[in-house]
Amino acid sequence: HAPREAPLQAGPRIVHGPASPMKHALHAALGALAMLAAALVLAVGTFLRGVEVDGDFLRVPLERALTAAFDAPVRIEGPLRLHTGRAATLSADALLLADPLGPAGATLARGIAPRARIDLAALLRREVRLDEVSGARLEIMLRRREDGRANWAELFSSSDGSSSVSFAGIERLRIDSIVGPYQRGGEPVVPFAIDAFDGALPRSEPLHASGTAQFAGQQVGFDLRTASLGAISSAAGLPLQGTLLWSGVRAEVDGRLLDGGARLEATVDAAAPDAAVPLAAAGISANEPGALALRGRFSLSATRAEAADLAVSVGDSRATGSASLAWDGPALRLALDLRG
């Protein structure tokens, strides 16, 4: 007979009791945290991809910050929209800047359809820092009173640290159209316009601007640069360099803006391959005059340009002397005192 196997011995029996309430609470908390983390990731992803939300909660603090930075009351018109993303973008129907020297309700500037990329973190530090500003149209009313004070002279004065809110600059400023009048005291109003304005107002780098100005029926292209925003209130005037383009003439300008930007004193070196075009624009008829070259010291205001120490050549002709050009009436007026 085969040997009989020993019967199996039953081992110790393990009995699982009911889970403790603490474990249930821990599992529920972990699940809630996981759901919260997922929702947070989704929200951050949506924010960074960009979504448009109602930005009215920023209206009051933004108006206060801009008012303090510009030292003139600012009002936002229409719904304020916030487009989220890596850089927040604000847009509105219009932005109004009050005239600091005018009566109650007077407006210095009105921007139509403004759009700005703004540093919200800097705004929380009471610093207005605009990465990019664009707009369809800027209506601006420039006035210089009889006592010489200009209604734009105090703008950006808070950038010198005298205000609790500082203006840190605009990295890029683009405006499709700028229109407005300029008036000095009781003199006639001078209308002007600028198309395709493209510039920058950084805090510590030179300001620069380009576009096409129109006044007295003339068009002048410009590409200019001056001092930084921190030096804009300098009593000694602001350096100004750049290029002007008018009726086929290209002029290199090196000078200073004086009287709060109302007057330019500069050395100008200009040339044109065909003098007939600028001469015709000044009301002078010439038949194949040849190339134009001009150098002199210029004083330019809103209504008049005067030149001294002129050295002019037209074709083979040479002349020296002075000249003036005025556009405060219905037509250009040219006066020459040349010797050749």
Side-chain angles (χ1 to χ4, degrees):
H1 297 281
R4 182 177 294 177
E5 294 180 358
L8 295 174
Q9 300 291 325
R13 190 176 179 185
I14 300 176
V15 179
H16 295 278
S20 67
M22 183 175 293
K23 288 185 177 179
H24 276 304
L26 181 59
H27 290 161
L30 290 175
L33 286 175
M35 293 178 63
L36 181 60
L40 183 61
V41 169
L42 180 62
V44 170
T46 302
F47 184 91
L48 292 178
R49 284 197 303 272
V51 61
E52 189 166 294
V53 298
D54 184 357
D56 205 59
F57 67 97
L58 287 172
R59 182 185 301 272
V60 172
L62 188 58
E63 287 180 340
R64 287 176 178 170
L66 290 173
T67 294
F70 295 153
D71 283 331
V74 172
R75 187 173 81 251
I76 299 170
E77 285 190 338
L80 183 60
R81 297 169 290 275
L82 171 64
H83 189 83
T84 67
R86 296 184 183 276
T89 301
L90 290 167
S91 61
D93 292 346
L95 183 73
L96 270 68
L97 180 65
D99 187 337
L101 299 185
T107 301
L108 169 60
R110 184 171 189 262
I112 308 299
R115 187 177 179 88
R117 280 212 328 262
I118 186 169
D119 188 331
L120 295 179
L123 188 61
L124 294 175
R125 300 193 302 269
R126 303 184 66 78
E127 182 180 80
V128 179
R129 183 185 302 275
L130 301 172
D131 296 332
E132 183 174 351
V133 175
S134 61
R137 180 181 173 93
L138 176 64
E139 299 167 354
I140 187 166
M141 284 65 71
L142 302 178
R143 296 185 303 108
R144 182 175 288 278
R145 303 196 324 184
E146 295 283 2
D147 61 6
R149 296 174 65 195
N151 65 345
W152 68 88
E154 297 302 318
L155 297 183
F156 310 120
S157 61
S158 60
S159 62
D160 62 6
S162 60
S163 171
S164 60
V165 177
S166 64
F167 181 71
I170 301 174
E171 292 300 317
R172 188 171 186 190
L173 175 62
R174 294 181 298 149
I175 304 173
D176 296 340
S177 174
I178 301 175
V179 296
Y182 169 81
Q183 186 175 29
R184 182 185 181 96
E187 297 177 2
V189 172
V190 179
F192 67 90
I194 299 175
D195 293 330
F197 181 91
D198 191 345
L201 283 76
R203 179 69 179 86
S204 56
E205 300 292 329
L207 280 64
H208 72 267
S210 63
T212 301
Q214 301 180 41
F215 55 91
Q218 303 295 314
Q219 290 190 347
V220 179
F222 61 90
D223 188 348
L224 302 171
R225 60 191 179 278
T226 184
S228 67
L229 188 62
I232 201 169
S233 61
S234 172
L238 297 174
L240 184 72
Q241 296 86 32
T243 304
L244 300 177
L245 300 173
W246 171 70
S247 297
V249 179
R250 180 183 180 90
E252 300 298 328
V253 178
D254 187 357
R256 300 189 78 81
L257 283 170
L258 304 171
D259 298 339
R263 181 165 57 92
L264 171 65
E265 299 282 347
T267 299
V268 176
D269 195 343
D274 183 3
V277 178
L279 289 175
I284 301 175
S285 178
N287 183 28
E288 298 183 357
L292 168 70
L294 179 150
R295 182 176 176 82
R297 294 186 296 106
F298 280 72
S299 177
L300 177 67
S301 70
T303 59
R304 187 178 182 87
E306 297 180 339
D309 300 331
L310 272 179
V312 184
S313 66
V314 177
D316 295 330
S317 301
R318 304 284 187 275
T320 59
S322 61
S324 67
L325 182 66
W327 51 86
D328 53 353
L332 293 175
R333 300 194 310 277
L334 176 67
L336 297 173
D337 182 10
L338 299 176
R339 298 170 298 280

